[in-house]
Amino acid sequence: MKKAILDLSVKSSERLSAHHQLLRLTHDESLPEMLPGQFVEVRVDGSPNTFLRRPLSIHYFDRAENEVWLLVAGVGDGTRRLMECREGDRINCVLPLGNAFTMPLSSGERLLLVGGGVGVAPLLFFGKVLSEQGHRPAFLLGARTGADLLQADLFRAYGDVYVTTEDGSAGEKGFVTNHSILNSRFSRIACCGPLPMMKAVARYARQTNTDCEVSLENMMACGLGACLCCVEKTVRGNVCVCKEGPVFNYKDLLWQD
């Protein structure tokens, strides 16, 4: 898939929570095609402590509006600087990068999309594409509190939404792997979020013999497999997550318990 380095214009910047910002980006020319699970490498300007690009999942892609959305979590100097971007600002991006989630083979498959925290980001675009192909996936979204739950209404446009929060302020109390929806059987799982959460979902997938893909969030500075920041051990040897991933079948990863 063709990659591009573009100065994208901020069409809008919306604060979703104290630590999360939604950036809608556009360009004067047509944006390249993108797939669910791929990501963008963003150059951070105006942050003296940030030297490397920051990888952000493609949260949503709208061909009709020529928009790509990025969901930013302010966890360091670079991402906090990105949260300060406002309408009309320019952001230099390399996109699209990485591979994509596997699309279902038949209309009868039951799909579960599991996201924790900002890990929900790639699942909205995936849900949109699945919906356009006639599927209605189930979304299982986890957060620390109800205030940290991101964009549940948007997810409901594409599937059934189930929620867990650690303090029980929204949905069922506990982690995503504690939710009662997992008493049902699914054909396929797609997952993104904190590493302990993805490992727990992978254990569930192994126990129930369910196909499962996880989107890793390793530090990816170049996005092209050159800097070796994101190396991951797999059954095929060490690979660069930015080039061979970020989406992997959980059976290929050596962090299984």
Side-chain angles (χ1 to χ4, degrees), residues 160-199:
D160 301 316
V161 173
Y162 304 88
V163 170
T164 65
T165 51
E166 294 178 26
D167 67 353
S169 55
E172 296 186 13
K173 184 175 181 179
F175 301 115
V176 291
T177 47
N178 303 132
H179 199 285
S180 58
I181 189 62
L182 295 183
N183 294 326
S184 303
R185 291 302 304 270
F186 292 91
S187 308
R188 190 186 301 269
I189 299 172
C191 177
C192 185
L195 185 59
M197 186 206 80
M198 290 194 290
K199 287 184 176 182

Side-chain angles (χ1 to χ4, degrees), residues 141-227:
L141 310 179
R144 290 183 179 179
T145 71
D148 298 317
L149 188 65
L150 302 172
Q151 299 179 297
D153 289 342
L154 288 182
F155 284 96
R156 290 189 182 97
Y158 303 118
D160 301 316
V161 173
Y162 304 88
V163 170
T164 65
T165 51
E166 294 178 26
D167 67 353
S169 55
E172 296 186 13
K173 184 175 181 179
F175 301 115
V176 291
T177 47
N178 303 132
H179 199 285
S180 58
I181 189 62
L182 295 183
N183 294 326
S184 303
R185 291 302 304 270
F186 292 91
S187 308
R188 190 186 301 269
I189 299 172
C191 177
C192 185
L195 185 59
M197 186 206 80
M198 290 194 290
K199 287 184 176 182
V201 172
R203 284 195 295 272
Y204 166 82
R206 185 170 66 242
Q207 292 164 1
T208 58
N209 195 28
T210 306
D211 287 338
C212 177
E213 290 181 328
V214 296
S215 179
L216 300 188
E217 296 184 318
N218 297 34
M219 172 57 71
M220 294 178 277
C222 73
L224 303 172
C227 70

